[in-house]
Amino acid sequence: MKKEEEADGGGRRCCGEGHRCCRMSVLVLLLVAGAVAWYMMQDDSRKRYLKHLAKQVPYLPARYYA
Amino acid sequence: MADYDVIVIGAGCGGVSSAAILAHQGRKVLLLEQSANMGGCCSTFEKDGYHFDVGASVVEEIQPLEIAFEMLGTRFQDEVELIPCDPMMSFIYYDGSRVTYPISIEETGRVISEMSPEDGQAWFRFAKYFGGMTETIMKGFLVSPATGIADMMRLLVKTPELMKYAPLFVMSYQDVIKKYFKSEAVQRTMSYQSLYLGLPPELVAGLFALLPYSEHEGIWYPRGGMIQIPAAFVRCGEKAGLEVRSRARVVQVVVRRGRVEGVVLEDGSEITAPVVVSNINAKTLYLDLIGEANLPWLARVGMKSYEYSKSVPMVYVGLDYEPPLEAHHSAIAVSPGEMSDYWYNNAMKGVLPDREFGLICWPTKSDPGLAPEGHHVLNLIPEGFYELAGTDWDEQKEPFLERTIEYLSSFAIPGLADHVVVKDCATPLDFERRLLLPKGAIYDLQQDIVSQTVFRPSARSRSVKGLYLVGNSTHPGGGVPTTTASGVIAATLINRYER
């Protein structure tokens, strides 16, 4: 009986976390899609500016410790 | 027992200001300079009776200099005679026509209105917006440390108005200029200044569009040449016991167990100190003088990721006539589009352009004493870059010098070629050799927003204890007032952490 409850509870937790995870993924995807759509609407000059910044973003954590 | 309390490497404005302040505060300080002259890019040399500025040509936003001299118990204006420069700048179009902006915001608005009434109105909105931003920045940003997130949070708490300008981070300089000014003739007078950051207007963050405004807050020229500023710092420092050694090149910064212990000079001698202040390029400092083995891997990756700022060739000419110019500074008026073309088709490919542009500095307009009576001096700063396709600057130096003089004679400075008495040229290679600026990068590291504040090498090293950085490589970046601000910041941090 106890084992069944634990199993149920565990299952519900897993299902709840999975649900949250799905919602988060959808939210992230929407944000990314929004950012891509916004980027696509920019003119070529603004795109070059954003690209110029974006290619340096991966280095920011390392630059912070430089 | 160490030889000194503090060793400062390099006598640029950051080095001399920090050295003087620390000596004034009672520390035993040694300032080492690899060349025979003080000042680095902010220096002046003499040739046949004509005095030429090496690089920096005026001083503006002088608050950091005033703060630094106050910390020395004196006043900037008492140590250096400042000559106000008005008009602010003259712009020369390729057809030879020109427009001149006075210092006065109102008068400039009137001049712009003559070109475009709509842009004349926009100028006042532009000046109000960036005037507010300049005031906010001057409230403390420039002389406040930016060594970590805590510093940035303190700064935002101190000046919350900074958040008002956040949208300027996702706009480029070019976006801002085009948003305010519709006439191409006017845009041409607002674009050149982006190159102070080493990039064309479309790659520079919008917040730097304050540059065309900021010079209207006032620009000055030190009587006797730009060298007078570092010379004043050295003079004040020496009064407080500062020891200065020129022609003393540092080849190693000694680091043991993660802490700095001194420096080794070219002749092999070692000088010890528990604190070292570096005024040299940060990549050279960390990767060559300290060595990668002494750095954590993250710092190595960060340091290698920085790109160098742009370089420029400089042409110096002594003249036996008064050049037909209107202002201490003149610039060839180029559109944002032309600057982008130059960037992608010339600078990136190493091909010198057929149609040059750049800055013309006329120091004898402000200080006639820099040349024999009736004669004049011009420092010409055409655009250029370090790497040339299929050739190099040693080969191109003489032809470039002659071509620049001929070219400017043809439309910008009529008669120039017929009145040159003395001429000289410093190429990006010369800057690399004489001032030890890698790739001739006059502002050291690129100055866009992803290389600023906490993302620029920290004023207080995170990798090596007892090591502090000043100059172009650290916050707040390149320029005479800003590098002086870095000297103030380093002295402040040393007082906080190295008692």
Side-chain angles (χ1 to χ4, degrees):
Chain A
M1 180 71 181
K2 201 175 177 184
K3 273 185 183 173
E4 277 174 25
E5 277 174 11
E6 276 176 7
D8 285 347
R12 276 196 297 274
R13 268 202 306 277
C14 180
C15 181
E17 278 172 14
H19 193 61
R20 269 201 300 276
C21 207
C22 281
R23 277 192 302 188
M24 280 301 292
S25 302
V26 170
L27 191 65
V28 168
L29 276 173
L30 281 173
L31 282 173
V32 170
V36 169
W38 178 78
Y39 175 80
M40 296 305 288
M41 285 190 305
Q42 305 304 308
D43 62 26
D44 287 348
S45 168
R46 176 80 70 95
K47 279 180 186 162
R48 283 195 288 270
Y49 170 65
L50 295 168
K51 258 189 215 166
H52 170 72
L53 293 185
K55 72 176 184 190
Q56 296 185 72
V57 167
Y59 295 114
L60 292 184
R63 285 184 183 178
Y64 184 82
Y65 287 99
Chain B
M1 179 77 181
D3 299 326
Y4 292 89
D5 296 329
V6 181
I7 293 171
V8 179
I9 311 169
C13 284
V16 292
S17 57
S18 58
I21 294 167
L22 291 165
H24 185 75
Q25 290 169 343
R27 294 183 194 244
K28 188 181 177 192
V29 184
L30 172 65
L31 173 62
L32 298 168
E33 166 56 37
Q34 57 89 23
S35 74
N37 307 312
M38 298 292 119
C41 281
C42 183
S43 194
T44 308
F45 70 94
E46 189 263 339
K47 187 172 182 181
D48 301 336
Y50 297 84
H51 295 80
F52 302 99
D53 293 317
V54 171
S57 56
V58 289
V59 61
E60 57 186 85
E61 308 294 3
I62 59 173
Q63 292 90 331
L65 288 142
E66 291 175 328
I67 292 169
F69 280 97
E70 268 172 35
M71 291 171 85
L72 292 166
T74 180
R75 288 176 69 247
F76 180 36
Q77 286 83 348
D78 289 343
E79 298 296 333
V80 179
E81 186 186 343
L82 294 176
I83 305 164
C85 302
D86 194 358
M88 187 276 285
M89 196 180 286
S90 182
F91 297 91
I92 305 170
Y93 295 82
Y94 286 116
D95 65 1
S97 63
R98 45 192 84 192
V99 60
T100 301
Y101 290 169
I103 289 287
S104 158
I105 302 284
E106 289 70 29
E107 284 298 301
T108 300
R110 193 184 56 75
V111 175
I112 293 175
S113 292
E114 283 171 15
M115 290 189 277
S116 159
E118 185 193 1
D119 286 358
Q121 290 305 309
W123 164 252
F124 290 108
R125 292 197 304 278
F126 179 83
K128 189 178 174 195
Y129 183 75
F130 283 104
M133 186 178 171
T134 306
E135 195 182 329
T136 304
I137 289 172
M138 286 301 153
K139 265 172 73 180
F141 177 78
L142 280 188
V143 288
S144 298
T147 57
I149 288 171
D151 281 341
M152 292 310 290
M153 294 311 290
R154 267 194 291 272
L155 194 59
L156 285 177
V157 169
K158 198 166 126 190
T159 46
E161 309 93 286
L162 277 173
M163 290 309 293
K164 200 169 87 182
Y165 303 99
L168 294 176
F169 283 83
V170 289
M171 294 175 79
S172 71
Y173 181 115
Q174 178 170 307
D175 291 336
V176 175
I177 295 302
K178 287 190 169 177
K179 180 183 149 195
Y180 280 94
F181 305 106
K182 307 302 174 201
S183 147
E184 196 192 286
V186 178
Q187 287 174 4
R188 282 173 178 269
T189 66
M190 303 283 172
S191 304
Y192 175 77
Q193 294 87 334
S194 84
L195 283 179
Y196 295 169
L197 296 149
L199 291 165
E202 74 168 18
L203 297 184
V204 172
L207 60 111
F208 295 110
L210 74 82
L211 289 170
Y213 163 79
S214 65
E215 292 186 325
H216 288 274
E217 298 246 316
I219 51 175
W220 292 269
Y221 186 74
R223 189 176 297 284
M226 293 303 292
I227 182 73
Q228 298 304 326
I229 294 174
F233 278 120
V234 170
R235 194 169 60 241
C236 292
E238 285 180 329
K239 279 184 201 162
L242 170 67
E243 191 181 324
V244 182
R245 278 192 224 170
S246 56
R247 298 184 195 278
R249 182 170 175 177
V250 172
V251 292
Q252 187 191 347
V253 173
V254 181
V255 176
R256 293 191 185 101
R257 293 172 298 280
R259 180 155 194 109
V260 76
E261 291 194 354
V263 300
V264 176
L265 300 184
E266 206 168 23
D267 64 8
S269 59
E270 184 172 339
I271 309 171
T272 58
V275 176
V276 169
V277 178
S278 167
N279 190 187
I280 62 172
N281 180 278
K283 282 181 94 161
T284 306
L285 169 72
Y286 279 109
L287 302 178
D288 300 339
L289 268 56
I290 291 174
E292 293 188 34
N294 287 307
L295 299 177
W297 72 270
L298 205 53
R300 281 202 302 270
V301 172
M303 202 50 65
K304 286 179 180 175
S305 76
Y306 289 111
E307 289 178 28
Y308 292 115
S309 75
K310 67 158 190 167
S311 186
V312 287
M314 294 268 306
V315 172
Y316 312 101
V317 287
L319 309 171
D320 64 1
Y321 85 136
E322 183 174 320
L325 295 166
E326 277 79 37
H328 184 109
H329 271 171
S330 299
I332 308 300
V334 278
S335 69
E338 284 169 342
M339 288 175 70
S340 293
D341 284 347
Y342 162 80
W343 185 255
Y344 296 111
N345 297 324
N346 296 104
M348 294 289 101
K349 294 178 180 169
V351 180
L352 287 168
D354 295 330
R355 211 158 72 148
E356 263 289 356
F357 62 94
L359 196 63
I360 299 163
C361 309
W362 180 21
T364 37
K365 173 166 176 58
S366 305
D367 181 4
L370 296 170
E373 202 177 337
H375 288 221
H376 285 269
V377 158
L378 290 181
N379 303 322
L380 313 171
I381 317 177
E383 279 313 307
F385 27 85
Y386 180 77
E387 277 157 7
L388 298 178
T391 180
D392 66 32
W393 276 107
D394 286 338
E395 204 171 273
Q396 289 299 318
K397 184 171 178 165
E398 285 306 314
F400 181 82
L401 169 61
E402 296 303 331
R403 205 167 57 239
T404 301
I405 293 170
E406 285 295 331
Y407 176 70
L408 290 176
S409 284
S410 69
F411 75 101
I413 318 172
L416 176 68
D418 300 327
H419 293 278
V420 173
V421 182
V422 173
K423 58 188 170 186
D424 202 350
C425 180
T427 69
L429 263 182
D430 293 325
F431 283 125
E432 184 173 59
R433 290 167 185 155
R434 293 175 196 166
L435 301 178
L436 303 185
L437 302 173
K439 293 186 182 284
I442 50 170
Y443 294 122
D444 276 26
L445 308 177
Q446 213 168 65
Q447 304 207 96
D448 45 13
I449 53 169
V450 279
S451 316
Q452 292 280 10
T453 60
V454 292
F455 301 118
R456 206 160 179 83
S458 176
R460 181 180 176 230
S461 174
R462 293 188 183 91
S463 313
V464 180
K465 290 192 179 79
L467 179 65
Y468 292 81
L469 272 66
V470 295
N472 293 331
S473 279
T474 189
H475 169 73
V480 174
T482 41
T483 51
T484 303
S486 75
V488 171
I489 291 169
T492 306
L493 290 170
I494 289 168
N495 275 327
R496 191 185 298 168
Y497 295 106
E498 312 285 344
R499 292 188 179 278

